Amino acid sequence: MTVRDPVSAPDVDGKPRRTTRRFPLFTRDTARPEGGGRAAAGDAPAPARQWPVLTVALLVGLGLLLTALDVFRWGTFLIGAALLVGAALRWAMSGVGMLAVRSRFTDIATYGVLGLTIALLALMVQPEPVLKLPFLQDILHFTVS
């Protein structure tokens, strides 16, 4: 018997055993991210089990619709706010279904930084920005002139 994958080579009883510390030649499975379990019981319908990611997706969709209807500032702000809601759900809940993509820290950091950046940029968009940061004006003049 020739074994191509020495990490999980079966013994006499067919159980995998480690014969070496090398990684397998082919990956057979991936680990679910922490918190990647269902957000509702297994007997609940699929939308109820995945309500966190559906909530974020619906908010982003509404933001895209507002942006398409020429309410650019508040549409993009809603997109950023949806990502911040995703970060808050990932932080507060142990099981968030498909909203969990990576480790908890990485998901929270990614959703939080992207959401905050999009929301702040939406508030600073010209003309007549809602949020004015003086140092950005200096940076703009420095790079243009």
Side-chain angles (χ1 to χ4, degrees), residues 17-91:
R17 62 182 171 85
R18 293 184 68 94
T19 58
T20 180
R21 292 176 46 142
R22 288 185 184 211
F23 288 105
L25 185 60
F26 298 103
T27 303
R28 304 227 191 294
D29 196 9
T30 56
R32 278 187 9 203
E34 172 196 352
R38 297 179 175 129
D43 58 346
R49 291 192 309 259
Q50 297 297 333
W51 71 266
V53 73
L54 288 175
T55 302
V56 172
L58 287 173
L59 287 173
V60 168
L62 183 61
L64 290 172
L65 180 66
L66 286 174
T67 303
L69 294 175
D70 210 22
V71 188
F72 176 78
R73 182 185 319 269
W74 300 114
T76 52
F77 179 77
L78 185 59
I79 293 170
L83 289 173
L84 291 173
V85 166
L89 287 172
R90 188 71 171 100
W91 175 71

Side-chain angles (χ1 to χ4, degrees), residues 105-143:
F105 173 79
T106 305
D107 280 343
I108 292 170
T110 304
Y111 295 147
V113 168
L114 288 175
L116 189 64
T117 302
I118 291 171
L120 288 177
L121 287 174
L123 293 176
M124 291 187 289
V125 73
Q126 297 290 333
E128 301 173 16
V130 175
L131 180 65
K132 296 179 183 178
L133 298 177
F135 66 89
L136 289 179
Q137 189 75 15
D138 297 337
I139 291 173
L140 179 65
H141 286 299
F142 179 73
T143 58

